[in-house]
Amino acid sequence: MAQYFEVHPENPQQRFLKQAAQIINAGGIGAIPTDSSYAFVCRLDDKNAAESLRRIRGIDDKHHLTLLCRDLSELASYARVDNSQYRLLKLATPGPFTFILEATKEVPRRLSHPSRRTIGLRVPAHRVTQDLLALLGQPLLATTLIAPGETEPMNDAREIADRFDRLLQVIVDAGACPLEPTTVIDLTGEAAQIIRLGRGDPVTLGLAID
């Protein structure tokens, strides 16, 4: 049965977040809010937790998982970033953008794309997510909280609890999320390529929308 913590979205109770961070740090799978939707999360370096996360979500190892990072300095530890990429990332973070970047050796091979050695990274603009990342001191491995067989994310923490209570170890309820996916931008080629248009506006980054 999952531990359930109800917190304020802009001024979350730190005692609850500390307990949630301890559960995740011990290998637990969590459901947490972000600036796009709720997400399944686990520790980056826990192989068993990552495999459980994929099973719960109903995805295989070819599905890109995302690293939720606290800031750009943390992101740079897990991806190779040149000066032009860094300037773009600085404009976009924190915010509802996911960037596909070349993974460094710090990223376990099983977590990167099996043929391209790339990883999706983002810095979310949500107080609860940011506070959890600060308490953990490392990125979280994440995937959008979509139930197997469904196409839309779940957005009600109580419904998430009803559906996944026996599969998760912790649920953090901070109310409804915007329920709009991040904009995904691939930075591994010569020019930035918009893979998915979502909540983040590429125009604010100087990128044209085809």
Side-chain angles (χ1 to χ4, degrees):
M1 180 177 286
Q3 288 282 312
Y4 191 98
F5 299 109
E6 191 170 345
V7 300
H8 192 280
E10 296 175 1
N11 188 27
Q13 299 90 320
Q14 294 300 303
R15 67 185 187 279
F16 292 154
L17 294 188
K18 286 178 182 177
Q19 291 179 66
Q22 287 170 355
I23 293 169
I24 294 169
N25 206 36
I29 310 297
I32 69 167
T34 76
D35 54 348
S36 60
S37 66
Y38 275 84
F40 290 125
V41 297
C42 70
R43 268 180 54 170
L44 165 64
D45 56 357
D46 191 321
K47 181 180 179 181
N48 291 333
E51 289 174 352
S52 294
L53 182 148
R54 288 184 185 276
R55 278 197 304 273
I56 294 168
R57 174 71 162 76
I59 54 177
D60 60 22
D61 61 359
K62 294 180 177 61
H63 185 97
H64 245 129
L65 297 177
T66 300
L67 293 189
L68 300 180
C69 298
R70 188 182 178 195
D71 53 32
L72 279 185
S73 63
E74 198 170 64
L75 183 150
S77 298
Y78 298 93
R80 292 186 174 87
V81 180
D82 63 26
N83 289 337
S84 62
Q85 291 171 336
Y86 186 84
R87 285 193 292 270
L88 188 67
L89 293 167
K90 196 170 183 180
L91 281 174
T93 57
F97 294 91
T98 298
F99 293 95
I100 308 300
L101 292 157
E102 185 182 353
T104 66
K105 293 179 180 178
E106 296 295 321
V107 178
R109 185 167 291 276
R110 60 190 162 76
L111 299 181
S112 60
H113 189 282
S115 60
R116 295 177 59 206
R117 256 321 253 165
T118 57
I119 189 77
L121 298 104
R122 78 183 197 90
V123 180
H126 193 293
R127 173 68 187 277
V128 173
T129 325
Q130 281 285 338
D131 284 5
L132 273 172
L133 290 169
L135 288 165
L136 285 160
Q138 63 176 342
L140 280 167
L141 194 62
T143 185
T144 305
L145 203 158
I146 301 174
E150 302 292 332
T151 57
E152 296 297 322
M154 296 181 70
N155 201 34
D156 185 305
R158 291 290 177 186
E159 291 180 2
I160 292 169
D162 289 343
R163 179 78 180 260
F164 295 102
D165 186 56
R166 295 182 182 277
L167 299 174
L168 301 175
Q169 283 68 56
V170 61
I171 297 169
V172 179
D173 179 357
C177 294
L179 204 58
E180 188 176 357
T182 59
T183 291
V184 179
I185 301 174
D186 189 338
L187 295 182
T188 60
E190 291 185 5
Q193 182 180 1
I194 300 168
I195 303 298
R196 179 183 71 195
L197 192 58
R199 187 164 177 246
D201 184 357
V203 174
T204 63
L205 310 181
L207 301 178
I209 301 172
D210 294 334

